[in-house]
Amino acid sequence: MTTTNRPYRIGIDVGGTKIAGVLIDAAGTVLDTSMVPARAGSDNLINDVVRMAKTLCATPVPVGIGTPGQVDNVNGVVRAIANLNITELALGPEVTARLGVPTHVENDVNAAALGAKTVDAGDVGAHDTVVFLNFGTGLAAGVVCAGKLERGYRGALGEIGHVPVDPNRFLCPCGQRGCLETIASGGAVARLWPCDGPSMPNLLAKASQGDVAATRILNMVTYGIGDAVQLVTQAYDPRVLILGGGMCKTGRPFLELVTRELQRRQEGCHFLSTIDIPSRLRLASTDQPLGAIGAALALDE
């Protein structure tokens, strides 16, 4: 447990299976970390967040929370956290009431975008745009422009996973068919290529061995990933595009797969060659709690 009288803050990243937390100082340096299993239900989530905040810092300090679901970041309300069986929860007000500190609730991909921009974007200019593209169970992008999150009118900015452009026309949980998320996400790969262990590394390995079914599915997935990357690049024109989420834990083979697809698209296309998407790509760090770091930084938003 850390005690301080300096301007520290806590960031907490709520996931479907675990909750991660960090204590950072005013410079954004991570001073302490914590992780606990996520438990279903509103009361459990509030209790776990409050307990983690007290563990990270004995003195009450502001808390930023990144969470899946539909987030009203102005009022601190989150809706539809399906994995935790939460329909609606005034998470920010509840945590503030228990801890007596300012609490900010942010969409988890937005929070991860802030964390990735700080940790992985390198030397970007003050007015540059950085996009974090999350290939997790779903597919979404977080956009940071001139150091600030872009959210749009109803918080739907970056929800590219539900753009219905894939010709396979798979049914999406959102009710549409052909959403990018149904082909270019970790959840999609797990559905298309069920196996023991992480699906993406297994799919890559089998395809490299000449497995016909694996090659067919990998080609399908790769094309969808290329669409997702090209879509966010042409929509937001970022200086840096950071690839993260569960699929990207495959590491360099995943980045090389995406790069090859984009280079293939550039062949014979002066427009794509000019904007040079591959040169902008980065892999998100897997050894840093980006979501929790970003949740703490979102307190400045």
Side-chain angles (χ1 to χ4, degrees):
M1 180 181 294
T2 304
T3 304
T4 178
N5 57 5
R6 297 199 299 171
Y8 290 166
R9 64 185 68 182
I10 287 168
I12 294 177
D13 180 29
V14 177
T17 60
K18 65 182 183 298
I19 300 173
V22 296
L23 175 69
I24 68 172
D25 63 15
T29 304
V30 175
L31 305 174
D32 200 1
T33 64
S34 179
M35 185 176 295
V36 298
R39 300 184 296 161
S42 296
D43 289 342
N44 283 333
L45 178 57
I46 295 167
N47 289 336
D48 290 340
V49 168
V50 169
R51 187 179 302 111
M52 179 172 285
K54 290 180 176 178
T55 299
L56 286 167
C57 190
T59 303
V61 297
V63 176
I65 304 170
T67 175
Q70 300 167 5
V71 178
D72 174 356
N73 67 288
V74 174
N75 298 303
V77 176
V78 60
R79 300 177 178 87
I81 309 180
N83 288 339
L84 298 183
N85 195 29
I86 294 174
T87 302
E88 181 171 333
L89 174 63
L91 183 57
E94 291 284 354
V95 172
T96 291
R98 294 275 296 272
L99 293 175
V101 297
T103 304
H104 177 80
V105 181
E106 188 58 69
N107 170 271
D108 58 344
V109 176
N110 283 347
L114 280 176
K117 186 259 181 186
T118 301
V119 175
D120 296 315
D123 185 21
V124 297
H127 297 288
D128 283 331
T129 297
V130 174
V131 169
F132 174 78
L133 188 51
N134 186 63
F135 292 98
T137 302
L139 171 66
V143 181
V144 183
C145 182
K148 293 292 183 179
L149 280 171
E150 296 286 331
R151 299 186 181 89
Y153 175 57
R154 295 214 171 185
L157 187 146
E159 291 288 353
I160 67 161
H162 297 297
V163 178
V165 296
D166 183 68
N168 295 286
R169 309 303 293 169
F170 295 129
L171 180 64
C172 182
C174 80
Q176 300 183 97
R177 286 188 176 274
C179 289
L180 271 176
E181 185 172 296
T182 66
I183 198 68
S185 66
V189 175
R191 174 178 55 80
L192 293 166
W193 188 255
C195 64
D196 294 331
S199 293
M200 193 64 188
N202 184 273
L203 178 61
L204 286 167
K206 293 294 185 182
S208 70
Q209 295 164 12
D211 186 293
V212 175
T215 300
R216 178 180 61 82
I217 291 171
L218 182 61
N219 287 341
M220 189 188 309
V221 170
T222 301
Y223 196 86
I225 292 170
D227 282 349
V229 172
Q230 188 175 336
L231 179 62
V232 296
T233 302
Q234 291 176 220
Y236 306 116
D237 196 21
R239 168 79 176 273
V240 174
L241 177 56
I242 302 169
L243 310 179
M247 286 177 72
C248 298
K249 292 180 180 178
T250 308
R252 296 295 305 181
F254 182 83
L255 181 60
E256 290 166 2
L257 177 80
V258 178
T259 300
R260 285 195 301 271
E261 171 62 17
L262 295 170
Q263 289 172 339
R264 182 191 66 78
R265 295 181 181 209
Q266 286 184 182
E267 294 174 1
C269 178
H270 178 70
F271 169 71
L272 287 178
S273 297
T274 301
I275 65 175
D276 193 13
I277 301 174
S279 69
R280 312 183 193 201
L281 300 182
R282 308 283 189 277
L283 277 178
S285 298
T286 57
D287 60 348
Q288 295 272 6
L290 299 179
I293 292 171
L297 296 174
L299 282 158
D300 291 332
E301 289 289 309

